[in-house]
């Protein structure tokens, strides 16, 4: 496990939060997944740390499923959310899963607290956006 991922795990634990899973990728990247119970939904957010890198890639995966017949409405909703929340990118992947992502530069001296703040901010934004996505998914 790389040192940035370890620092993030330690920060989560020291703040009473649990790590749901860790993933070691063959290229040396480490993913750390934490679950977040929010007001509108429950989210799994993974922070991916490249080995020796000064970056973190944050992904909120599969928080909504888009039926093919509502793909257009959901994509329009994602575009509107992207204009409203410039810090997080919303999109629909090829399988129809709605995703959110962010990439950030981090300082290795403060990577744990920086990443936790970024993840919490993303979770808050996705939670605020969730009703908009659900309205588009169900065509209401």
């Amino acid at each position: 496990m790389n040192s940035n991922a370890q620092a993030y795990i330690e920060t989560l634990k020291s703040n009473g939060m649990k790590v749901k899973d860790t993933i070691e990728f063959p290229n040396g990247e480490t993913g750390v997944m934490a679950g977040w119970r929010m007001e509108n939904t429950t989210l799994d957010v993974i922070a991916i740390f490249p080995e020796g890198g000064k970056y973190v890639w944050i992904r909120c995966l599969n928080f909504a499923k888009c039926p093919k017949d509502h793909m257009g409405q959901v994509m329009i909703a994602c575009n509107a959310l992207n204009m409203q929340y410039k810090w997080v990118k919303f999109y629909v992947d090829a399988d129809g899963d709605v995703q959110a992502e962010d990439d950030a530069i981090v300082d290795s001296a403060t990577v744990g607290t920086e990443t936790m703040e970024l993840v919490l901010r993303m979770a808050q934004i996705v939670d605020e956006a969730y009703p908009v996505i659900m309205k588009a998914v169900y065509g209401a």
Side-chain angles (χ1 to χ4, degrees), residues 38-90:
M38 305 301 289
E39 183 178 334
N40 295 307
T41 189
T42 300
L43 303 170
D44 287 332
V45 181
I46 186 166
I48 303 168
F49 301 89
E51 180 60 45
K54 297 183 184 234
Y55 308 98
V56 61
W57 304 305
I58 303 168
R59 306 293 183 260
C60 184
L61 306 174
N62 310 328
F63 65 90
K65 185 75 172 172
C66 177
K68 290 185 189 287
D69 60 334
H70 289 184
M71 186 71 74
Q73 297 96 309
V74 175
M75 291 176 75
I76 289 169
C78 286
N79 286 342
L81 291 167
N82 287 337
M83 290 173 54
Q84 182 177 354
Y85 299 106
K86 307 225 182 290
W87 187 77
V88 173
K89 179 175 74 173
F90 292 88

Side-chain angles (χ1 to χ4, degrees), residues 38-43 62-65 81 85 90 98 123-138:
M38 305 301 289
E39 183 178 334
N40 295 307
T41 189
T42 300
L43 303 170
N62 310 328
F63 65 90
K65 185 75 172 172
L81 291 167
Y85 299 106
F90 292 88
V98 182
Q124 180 68 35
I125 290 170
V126 172
D127 189 58
E128 290 173 10
Y130 188 77
V132 174
I133 296 291
M134 288 295 97
K135 185 176 178 181
V137 164
Y138 291 106

Side-chain angles (χ1 to χ4, degrees), residues 3 5 8 12 14 16-17 21 26 30 36-37 61 63 70 72 79-80 83 91 97 111 116-117 120 123 126:
S3 60
Y8 175 51
L12 287 172
S14 71
M17 299 172 194
D21 196 9
T30 302
W36 306 93
R37 180 172 297 240
L61 306 174
F63 65 90
H70 289 184
N79 286 342
M83 290 173 54
Y91 65 96
D97 295 314
V111 66
M116 190 176 80
E117 176 64 32
L120 288 170
V126 172

